[in-house]
C-alpha cells in the first residue's frame, strides 16, 4: 500500500495539471484582491468628500470577512471560482486513470502491485488532489486579504454582509467570524475532494480525459438545476459550497449526510466494482 500510494502522490505533485489548477485559482484570488483594493481606495476618496451620503447608510470599513473570495458576494472572481471549483478540483488528477487505461500503463501496474492497493491509492490521491487544491486557493485569498483589510467583527446593521444571522452558523459569523470562515473552508475542501473522486467514476466509462475532468461538473450542475426546480437548492452541493449561503435552509446535517452518501457512492463504484474488472 505504501509503495502504490507513494507512487500516485509523486505523480500528482509532478503533474503540470496540478500547477495549472493552482494558477487558475491564484489568478482569480489576485483579480479579486486588486478589485477590492481599488474599490476601497475609490470609496475612501468619495467618503472624504461626501461623508455618509456616498453610501446611504452608516459607513463601516470593508473587512476581511466581506473581501476574501469566500465571502465576497457580488464580484465576478468568486462567482467564477465557485462555478469552476468542480473542474479545478478534478483537473490535477482526474485524467490520470484515463491515461493509464489508454496507454497500457494500468496493465503493467497491476501485474506489479496488488489490485486493492492500486485502486485504493488512486481513490485516496484523487480525494487529496481536490482537498489540497481548494484549500490552498481559499486560504491564500484569506491570508492575502488580511494584509490590507482589518479583521473587524461584522455588524448586521451595516448591510455589508450577505450571511444572515438565521443562516447555518450565522450567530458564529457575527461573533467569531474567523472561526466561521475557517470551518466553511474545511467544508469546501472536503466537498472538493469528494467531487474529485467522482471523476474516477466517470473514468470507469470513458478513456477521454476531457470527459473525466468535466463529467462530475456536468453531473452536479444538472443536479443543482433539478433541485432548484423543486425549490430544494439547499440540498445542492453547488449551492451550499459558497460560505455566503445563497439559499435558506442549509444545515450541517444536510452537508454531512450528503458528503457521506456521495463519498460512499464514489468509493463503492470505483473501488469495489472497477477493481473486479479484468485487465484492460
Amino acid at each position: 500500500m505504501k509503495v502504490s500510494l507513494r507512487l500516485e502522490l509523486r505523480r500528482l505533485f509532478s503533474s503540470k495539471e496540478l500547477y495549472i489548477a493552482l494558477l487558475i485559482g491564484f489568478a482569480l484570488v489576485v483579480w479579486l484582491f486588486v478589485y477590492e483594493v481599488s474599490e476601497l481606495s475609490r470609496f475612501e476618496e468619495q467618503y472624504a468628500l461626501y461623508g455618509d451620503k456616498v453610501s446611504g447608510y452608516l459607513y463601516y470599513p470593508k473587512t476581511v470577512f466581506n473581501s476574501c473570495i469566500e465571502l465576497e458576494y457580488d464580484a465576478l472572481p468568486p462567482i467564477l471560482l465557485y462555478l469552476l471549483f468542480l473542474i479545478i478540483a478534478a483537473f490535477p488528477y482526474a485524467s490520470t486513470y484515463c491515461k493509464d487505461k489508454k496507454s497500457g500503463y494500468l496493465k503493467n501496474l497491476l501485474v506489479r502491485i496488488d489490485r486493492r492497493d492500486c485502486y485504493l491509492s488512486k481513490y485516496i490521491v484523487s480525494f487529496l488532489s481536490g482537498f489540497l487544491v481548494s484549500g490552498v486557493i481559499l486560504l491564500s485569498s484569506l491570508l492575502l486579504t488580511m494584509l490590507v483589510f482589518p479583521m473587524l467583527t461584522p455588524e448586521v446593521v451595516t448591510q455589508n454582509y450577505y450571511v444572515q444571522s438565521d443562516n447555518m452558523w450565522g450567530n458564529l459569523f457575527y461573533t467569531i467570524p474567523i472561526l466561521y470562515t475557517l470551518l466553511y473552508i474545511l467544508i469546501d475542501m472536503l466537498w472538493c475532494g469528494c467531487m474529485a473522486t467522482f471523476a474516477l467514476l466517470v473514468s470507469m466509462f470513458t478513456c477521454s480525459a476531457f470527459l473525466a475532468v468535466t463529467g462530475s461538473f456536468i453531473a452536479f450542475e444538472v443536479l443543482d438545476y433539478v433541485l432548484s426546480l423543486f425549490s430544494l437548492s439547499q440540498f445542492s452541493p453547488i449551492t451550499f459550497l459558497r460560505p455566503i449561503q445563497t439559499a435558506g435552509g442549509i444545515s450541517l446535517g444536510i452537508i454531512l449526510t450528503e458528503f457521506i452518501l456521495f463519498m460512499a457512492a464514489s468509493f463503492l463504484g470505483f473501488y469495489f466494482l472497477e477493481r473486479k474488472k479484468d485487465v484492460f
Side-chain angles (χ1 to χ4, degrees):
M1 177 64 183
K2 291 183 179 179
V3 174
S4 58
L5 187 58
R6 191 183 303 116
L7 174 63
E8 296 300 330
L9 285 172
R10 187 182 302 119
R11 295 179 68 190
L12 170 64
F13 287 105
S14 62
S15 68
K16 63 180 183 297
E17 288 84 358
L18 172 65
Y19 301 101
I20 291 174
L22 289 173
L23 183 61
I24 293 172
F26 288 152
L28 292 171
V29 166
V30 173
W31 178 8
L32 177 66
F33 180 73
V34 172
Y35 169 81
E36 289 293 327
V37 171
S38 62
E39 284 294 298
L40 176 64
S41 177
R42 184 188 64 80
F43 186 89
E44 288 180 342
E45 290 176 1
Q46 294 294 311
Y47 190 80
L49 293 173
Y50 304 108
D52 288 339
K53 293 180 180 179
V54 71
S55 60
Y57 49 82
L58 181 64
Y59 173 59
Y60 195 71
K62 287 280 283 184
T63 70
V64 169
F65 307 110
N66 59 359
S67 302
C68 62
I69 205 162
E70 300 90 339
L71 295 165
E72 201 344 305
Y73 53 87
D74 60 357
L76 186 57
I79 294 174
L80 289 176
L81 176 66
Y82 280 92
L83 175 65
L84 300 175
F85 234 157
L86 276 71
I87 294 178
I88 293 173
F91 189 68
Y93 194 76
S95 62
T96 302
Y97 188 64
C98 291
K99 293 176 181 177
D100 289 352
K101 291 193 296 182
K102 193 172 183 179
S103 65
Y105 176 82
L106 185 60
K107 294 180 181 180
N108 294 325
L109 188 64
L110 291 176
V111 298
R112 293 173 172 82
I113 297 178
D114 182 82
R115 295 176 71 92
R116 290 172 297 182
D117 292 346
C118 175
Y119 284 98
L120 184 57
S121 297
K122 288 183 178 297
Y123 185 85
I124 292 173
V125 174
S126 178
F127 177 85
L128 286 176
S129 66
F131 183 86
L132 293 174
V133 166
S134 59
V136 169
I137 293 171
L138 295 175
L139 288 172
S140 67
S141 176
L142 181 63
L143 293 174
L144 184 62
T145 307
M146 286 179 179
L147 295 176
V148 174
F149 295 91
M151 294 181 64
L152 296 176
T153 302
E155 293 288 345
V156 178
V157 295
T158 63
Q159 303 176 32
N160 285 337
Y161 301 92
Y162 202 88
V163 179
Q164 305 299 314
S165 57
D166 59 348
N167 286 153
M168 181 185 75
W169 300 339
N171 290 330
L172 181 64
F173 178 77
Y174 287 103
T175 53
I176 315 177
I178 187 62
L179 180 58
Y180 173 94
T181 306
L182 292 174
L183 286 174
Y184 226 111
I185 288 175
L186 178 59
I187 288 175
D188 286 351
M189 292 170 66
L190 291 171
W191 265 99
C192 285
C194 175
M195 291 170 171
T197 63
F198 267 77
L200 292 178
L201 286 183
V202 179
S203 301
M204 291 169 57
F205 308 104
T206 180
C207 287
S208 169
F210 176 79
L211 288 178
V213 172
T214 60
S216 60
F217 167 78
I218 295 172
F220 280 99
E221 285 291 341
V222 170
L223 176 63
D224 179 69
Y225 176 74
V226 172
L227 289 172
S228 67
L229 291 178
F230 296 95
S231 300
L232 296 172
S233 293
Q234 70 270 26
F235 292 96
S236 170
I238 298 292
T239 299
F240 61 61
L241 270 181
R242 292 203 69 179
I244 60 173
Q245 300 186 47
T246 56
I250 295 172
S251 69
L252 184 61
I254 290 174
I255 294 173
L256 292 181
T257 300
E258 291 194 28
F259 175 77
I260 293 171
L261 290 175
F262 279 105
M263 285 293 292
S266 62
F267 182 74
L268 293 173
F270 181 75
Y271 180 72
F272 285 104
L273 297 180
E274 187 71 357
R275 73 181 178 87
K276 291 182 179 180
K277 290 183 180 180
D278 293 332
V279 177
F280 302 93

